[in-house]
Amino acid sequence: MGKIIALANQKGGVGKTTTTINLAASLATLEKTVLVVDADPQANASSGLGVDIKEVDCSLYECIINHTDVHEAIYTTDIEGLDIIPSHIDLVGAEIEMLNIENREKVMGKLLAPIIDDYDYILIDCSPSLGLITVNALTAADTVIIPVQCEYFALEGISKLLNTIRIIKSKLNPKLEIEGFLLTMYDSRLRLANQIYDEVKRHFQELVFKTVIQRNVKLSESPSHGLPVILYDADSTGARNHLALAKEIVSKENSGK
């Protein structure tokens, strides 16, 4: 049975989508079968994995609102073993349309249920908000990765996210755990980056991934080519960091932690 991991932080620009795309590609490189669920109306994970949004007939929106069969929304990517359910700008309105649906927080979990055994990992890229779609993602997930940018306001808003996770755990999804806090856009030359790292480590201790994602030009460039960085430049720091993260997650899994 596959493991569902949501990537969430209501703060924008922390590297959620970059991490989703590149972690998924790295897990596939490790011969895991992976599905990315793009739950962000901006659809950046979809285009970053080479999906032409204009050509998409069936997206996550159709599955949630029209109850379209989830199999129709699965698209393959250039990486073997990596599929995606793309997003669409219509997803912006889905939260309002979902208000009348019974058990509306559990819609995503229900639609992923028939395909959970088809993948080793399902990664859900959440939008930078704590709206109903993100609540759905956290209710469907086994664990959540929280990307934290190494900058001054890094920890701002995390308490709100942790509170949301606590509420979801107590009311909707008792199995939800934190997979880890992931430090992104790390520049070891900056004293501030090192201070943020120490602060996050002090707060969250063993919940912080050993791997940090460093600032890297290739990592920033690769989405504009519709490629994960491992296909764009496999020797880049960004590719190596995400492969290390994938290995850390897999070995944690194997050791039963």
Side-chain angles (χ1 to χ4, degrees), residues 46 49-51 75-84 228:
S46 306
L49 283 172
V51 174
Y75 290 72
T76 56
T77 69
D78 289 340
I79 292 186
E80 194 182 336
L82 174 54
D83 295 341
I84 182 166

Side-chain angles (χ1 to χ4, degrees), residues 108-147:
M108 197 180 296
K110 259 197 210 112
L111 74 86
L112 292 176
I115 53 170
I116 195 160
D117 292 333
D118 300 345
Y119 296 96
D120 296 313
Y121 292 95
I122 296 177
L123 304 184
I124 307 175
D125 184 30
C126 298
S127 69
S129 79
L130 291 176
L132 190 50
I133 301 282
T134 300
V135 168
N136 258 270
L138 293 171
T139 304
D142 298 300
T143 62
V144 54
I145 290 174
I146 302 169

Side-chain angles (χ1 to χ4, degrees), residues 23 98 102 130 178 183 215:
L23 173 57
M98 288 167 79
E102 203 180 332
L130 291 176
I178 292 173
L183 286 142
R215 278 197 183 278

Side-chain angles (χ1 to χ4, degrees), residues 166-185:
R166 256 195 304 277
I167 292 166
I168 287 170
K169 195 173 162 69
S170 68
K171 293 192 162 52
L172 294 164
N173 181 9
K175 71 178 188 302
L176 184 63
E177 298 292 343
I178 292 173
E179 184 78 31
F181 290 84
L182 176 69
L183 286 142
T184 62
M185 306 179 202

Side-chain angles (χ1 to χ4, degrees), residues 214-230:
Q214 292 161 271
R215 278 197 183 278
N216 180 237
V217 175
K218 299 291 184 192
L219 195 55
S220 308
E221 287 174 356
S222 60
S224 63
H225 298 269
L227 293 170
V229 70
I230 207 157

Side-chain angles (χ1 to χ4, degrees), residues 248-257:
E248 191 175 340
I249 288 170
V250 171
S251 70
K252 194 162 97 173
E253 200 84 354
N254 293 341
S255 66
K257 277 187 189 170

Side-chain angles (χ1 to χ4, degrees), residues 27 71 153:
L27 286 166
H71 293 92
F153 293 114

